[in-house]
Short mmCIF file of all heavy atoms in Angstrom, two decimals:
data_model
loop_
_atom_site.label_atom_id
_atom_site.label_comp_id
_atom_site.label_asym_id
_atom_site.label_seq_id
_atom_site.Cartn_x
_atom_site.Cartn_y
_atom_site.Cartn_z
N HIS A 58 125.29 34.55 72.40
CA HIS A 58 124.72 35.02 73.62
C HIS A 58 123.33 34.29 73.97
O HIS A 58 122.69 34.57 74.99
CB HIS A 58 124.57 36.45 73.79
CG HIS A 58 125.89 37.21 73.71
ND1 HIS A 58 126.49 37.58 72.53
CD2 HIS A 58 126.73 37.54 74.80
CE1 HIS A 58 127.62 38.17 72.89
NE2 HIS A 58 127.84 38.19 74.10
N ALA A 59 122.95 33.35 73.01
CA ALA A 59 121.70 32.72 73.30
C ALA A 59 121.81 31.66 74.46
O ALA A 59 122.84 31.15 74.64
CB ALA A 59 121.25 32.00 72.01
N GLY A 60 120.69 31.39 74.98
CA GLY A 60 120.67 30.41 76.08
C GLY A 60 120.10 30.93 77.38
O GLY A 60 119.72 32.21 77.44
N PRO A 61 120.06 30.18 78.43
CA PRO A 61 119.39 30.56 79.67
C PRO A 61 120.30 31.37 80.54
O PRO A 61 121.53 31.32 80.50
CB PRO A 61 119.16 29.19 80.37
CG PRO A 61 120.12 28.24 79.77
CD PRO A 61 120.43 28.75 78.44
N TYR A 62 119.81 32.21 81.34
CA TYR A 62 120.44 33.06 82.31
C TYR A 62 119.84 33.03 83.63
O TYR A 62 118.58 33.19 83.76
CB TYR A 62 120.50 34.53 81.82
CG TYR A 62 121.34 34.79 80.59
CD1 TYR A 62 120.84 34.43 79.31
CD2 TYR A 62 122.63 35.35 80.78
CE1 TYR A 62 121.69 34.60 78.25
CE2 TYR A 62 123.49 35.64 79.61
CZ TYR A 62 123.04 35.25 78.43
OH TYR A 62 123.76 35.45 77.33
N PRO A 63 120.55 32.45 84.69
CA PRO A 63 119.94 32.21 85.99
C PRO A 63 119.61 33.48 86.68
O PRO A 63 120.13 34.53 86.31
CB PRO A 63 120.94 31.39 86.67
CG PRO A 63 122.25 31.81 86.10
CD PRO A 63 121.96 32.08 84.71
N SER A 66 121.80 37.01 87.38
CA SER A 66 122.79 37.36 86.24
C SER A 66 122.71 38.86 86.11
O SER A 66 121.75 39.56 86.29
CB SER A 66 122.27 36.66 84.90
OG SER A 66 122.38 35.30 85.03
N LEU A 81 119.26 40.32 87.23
CA LEU A 81 118.05 39.67 86.89
C LEU A 81 117.43 39.03 88.20
O LEU A 81 117.82 38.06 88.53
CB LEU A 81 118.32 38.49 85.93
CG LEU A 81 117.15 37.96 85.10
CD1 LEU A 81 116.41 38.96 84.32
CD2 LEU A 81 117.68 36.90 84.18
N ARG A 93 127.90 34.58 82.10
CA ARG A 93 127.90 35.54 81.04
C ARG A 93 127.11 36.74 81.45
O ARG A 93 126.08 36.64 82.09
CB ARG A 93 127.20 34.88 79.81
CG ARG A 93 127.88 33.69 79.25
CD ARG A 93 127.16 33.05 78.11
NE ARG A 93 125.83 32.61 78.58
CZ ARG A 93 124.98 32.25 77.75
NH1 ARG A 93 125.06 32.35 76.49
NH2 ARG A 93 123.75 31.68 78.13
N LEU A 95 124.38 39.71 80.84
CA LEU A 95 123.13 39.61 80.16
C LEU A 95 123.27 40.39 78.70
O LEU A 95 123.87 41.35 78.65
CB LEU A 95 121.99 40.40 80.86
CG LEU A 95 121.58 39.76 82.15
CD1 LEU A 95 120.77 40.80 83.02
CD2 LEU A 95 120.81 38.45 81.91
N LEU A 99 117.86 41.40 77.43
CA LEU A 99 117.54 40.88 78.87
C LEU A 99 118.02 41.89 79.90
O LEU A 99 117.37 42.02 80.96
CB LEU A 99 118.30 39.56 79.08
CG LEU A 99 117.90 38.40 78.22
CD1 LEU A 99 118.45 37.06 78.76
CD2 LEU A 99 116.38 38.24 78.10
N GLU A 117 114.13 34.69 86.00
CA GLU A 117 115.15 34.03 85.21
C GLU A 117 115.10 34.60 83.79
O GLU A 117 114.19 35.30 83.45
CB GLU A 117 115.02 32.50 85.12
CG GLU A 117 115.12 31.85 86.44
CD GLU A 117 114.95 30.35 86.41
OE1 GLU A 117 114.80 29.79 85.20
OE2 GLU A 117 114.80 29.70 87.47
N GLY A 118 116.06 34.37 82.99
CA GLY A 118 116.18 34.82 81.61
C GLY A 118 116.42 33.82 80.58
O GLY A 118 117.05 32.81 80.80
N LEU A 119 115.99 34.07 79.36
CA LEU A 119 116.32 33.19 78.24
C LEU A 119 116.48 34.11 77.08
O LEU A 119 115.56 34.87 76.60
CB LEU A 119 115.16 32.29 77.94
CG LEU A 119 115.43 31.35 76.68
CD1 LEU A 119 116.54 30.37 76.93
CD2 LEU A 119 114.10 30.53 76.35
N ALA A 120 117.72 34.05 76.45
CA ALA A 120 118.00 34.75 75.13
C ALA A 120 117.82 33.80 74.10
O ALA A 120 118.31 32.61 74.04
CB ALA A 120 119.46 35.22 75.23
N VAL A 121 117.18 34.29 73.14
CA VAL A 121 116.75 33.47 71.87
C VAL A 121 117.43 33.93 70.66
O VAL A 121 117.48 35.09 70.31
CB VAL A 121 115.26 33.41 71.63
CG1 VAL A 121 114.77 32.59 70.49
CG2 VAL A 121 114.44 33.10 72.85
N LEU A 137 109.05 26.20 78.48
CA LEU A 137 109.05 27.33 79.44
C LEU A 137 107.74 27.25 80.30
O LEU A 137 107.73 27.44 81.44
CB LEU A 137 109.14 28.71 78.81
CG LEU A 137 110.57 28.99 78.15
CD1 LEU A 137 110.48 30.44 77.56
CD2 LEU A 137 111.71 28.80 79.09
N ARG A 140 107.66 24.86 83.22
CA ARG A 140 108.63 25.00 84.29
C ARG A 140 108.09 25.12 85.67
O ARG A 140 108.66 24.83 86.60
CB ARG A 140 109.53 26.20 83.98
CG ARG A 140 110.47 26.13 82.85
CD ARG A 140 111.73 25.26 83.21
NE ARG A 140 112.19 25.76 84.41
CZ ARG A 140 113.08 26.91 84.54
NH1 ARG A 140 113.29 27.67 83.43
NH2 ARG A 140 113.45 27.28 85.67
#
Side-chain angles (χ1 to χ4, degrees):
H58 294 89
Y62 288 79
S66 295
L81 197 60
R93 301 175 297 170
L95 295 170
L99 297 191
E117 299 178 5
L119 177 68
V121 182
L137 294 183
R140 288 280 313 281

